């Protein structure tokens, strides 16, 4: 394995600066000017806490610049800040056979983090048994809108997700493929809920503001480059 010297590391950072790209868990100058904020800088977990708790379970750790769920039982986690209109970007990687999720508009009035919060699925589409339902594949708006197969990457590879919510218009991309574009509260939205497992879940998908959540589904999962921009 080649070890970067101080000179070569500095050269690498200079190259990132010249190309406008940011190293992992950093913001470019343009992103800073546009109002993006990091939710994880590679080592600091202070912006996260467990659902209905003020602390963070030690099963959520940092690992080589990633936020990692290292063992089952650590519980679902939330951003300490809640958001209404936002643009969220992150990258995730799932262990073989794994399952997890990204939750939006999560509140703490229900029994579970997902009681009222729509979920963007994270899954090993090749091995996990949930692959039999197309709206349960990775990048899908879980149990509502199926993600195209062109958005999938295998377990162990990094996937890029972008979630944008403005004036109830929810857009989701995975690996630069748009997977969902829908207006929350529209008749189309209501029909999707009526035909999903959430049909009888009182208050599901009705919130106007909430936290970003990451799910403990019992499987190892990694996250990095988690950044958000609040929108007017």
């Amino acid at each position: 394995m080649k070890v970067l010297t101080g000179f070569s590391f500095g050269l690498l950072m200079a190259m990132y600066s010249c190309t406008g790209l940011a190293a992992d868990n950093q913001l470019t100058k343009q992103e800073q000017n546009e109002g993006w904020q990091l939710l994880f800088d590679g080592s600091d977990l202070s912006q996260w806490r467990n659902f209905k708790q003020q602390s963070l379970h030690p099963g959520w750790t940092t690992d080589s610049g990633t936020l990692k769920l290292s063992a089952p039982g650590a519980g679902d986690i939330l951003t300490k800040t809640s958001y209404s209109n936002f643009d969220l970007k992150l990258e995730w990687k799932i262990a073989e056979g794994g399952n997890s999720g990204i939750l939006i508009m999560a509140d703490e009035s229900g029994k579970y983090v997902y009681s009222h919060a729509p979920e963007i699925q994270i899954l090993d589409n090749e091995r996990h048994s949930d692959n039999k339902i197309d709206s349960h594949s990775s990048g899908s708006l879980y149990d509502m809108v199926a993600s195209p197969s062109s958005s999938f990457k295998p377990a162990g590879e990094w996937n890029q997700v972008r979630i944008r919510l403005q004036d109830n218009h929810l857009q989701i991309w995975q690996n630069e493929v748009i997977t969902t574009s829908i207006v929350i509260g529209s008749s189309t939205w209501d029909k999707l809920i009526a035909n999903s497992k959430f049909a009888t879940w009182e208050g599901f998908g009705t919130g106007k503001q909430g936290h970003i959540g990451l799910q403990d589904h019992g499987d190892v999962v990694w996250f990095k480059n988690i950044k958000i921009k609040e929108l007017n």
Side-chain angles (χ1 to χ4, degrees):
M1 181 176 67
K2 184 176 181 180
V3 178
L4 287 176
T5 65
F7 174 77
S8 57
F9 181 78
L11 181 60
L12 179 61
M13 293 299 98
M15 290 171 60
Y16 274 118
S17 177
C18 290
T19 59
L21 299 174
D24 279 348
N25 306 308
Q26 295 185 29
L27 298 175
T28 64
K29 181 62 71 175
Q30 180 176 343
E31 286 174 328
Q32 294 175 33
N33 293 337
E34 291 174 351
W36 288 89
Q37 297 179 325
L38 287 174
L39 293 177
F40 174 65
D41 68 359
S43 60
D44 182 8
L45 300 176
S46 63
Q47 297 192 66
W48 299 87
R49 61 177 176 84
N50 276 86
F51 178 65
K52 295 191 176 182
Q53 303 290 328
Q54 294 306 309
S55 58
L56 187 68
H57 191 284
W60 287 95
T61 65
T62 59
D63 177 27
S64 301
T66 70
L67 169 56
K68 179 183 179 182
L69 174 62
S70 59
D76 305 312
I77 63 173
L78 297 169
T79 54
K80 291 182 178 178
T81 303
S82 62
Y83 304 91
S84 51
N85 294 324
F86 62 87
D87 201 347
L88 173 71
K89 296 179 182 179
L90 60 79
E91 295 181 48
W92 63 265
K93 180 173 67 172
I94 192 73
E96 288 191 2
N99 185 337
S100 185
I102 306 159
L103 299 130
I104 60 171
M105 311 302 286
D107 61 41
E108 295 176 287
S109 62
K111 185 175 182 180
Y112 305 106
V113 69
Y114 50 79
S115 293
H116 305 141
E119 176 187 344
I120 293 79
Q121 176 75 313
I122 291 173
L123 197 77
D124 176 357
N125 293 330
E126 297 176 353
R127 299 172 181 85
H128 197 280
S129 59
D130 217 12
N131 62 9
K132 297 176 179 62
I133 302 175
D134 59 5
S135 61
H136 293 188
S137 60
S138 73
S140 296
L141 181 59
Y142 181 75
D143 211 52
M144 295 174 67
V145 181
S147 174
S149 59
S150 58
S151 78
F152 304 161
K153 286 188 178 180
E157 294 189 16
W158 286 104
N159 292 263
Q160 297 176 334
V161 167
R162 180 181 182 186
I163 303 163
R164 192 177 195 275
L165 178 63
Q166 187 171 31
D167 298 330
N168 293 323
H169 183 196
L170 174 62
Q171 297 171 285
I172 303 167
W173 294 262
Q174 182 168 263
N175 299 315
E176 301 186 345
V177 176
I178 191 160
T179 69
T180 298
S181 180
I182 192 168
V183 177
I184 295 176
S186 66
S187 58
T188 302
W189 174 265
D190 291 343
K191 288 176 184 176
L192 287 170
I193 289 182
N195 291 320
S196 74
K197 65 187 292 181
F198 311 115
T200 59
W201 292 26
E202 185 176 354
F204 181 84
T206 61
K208 300 300 182 183
Q209 182 169 322
H211 304 267
I212 308 300
L214 302 177
Q215 187 180 48
D216 174 4
H217 206 282
D219 301 308
V220 177
V221 60
W222 298 261
F223 299 92
K224 67 177 181 178
N225 296 325
I226 313 172
K227 58 188 73 172
I228 196 165
K229 179 171 71 171
E230 295 189 71
L231 304 174
N232 298 324

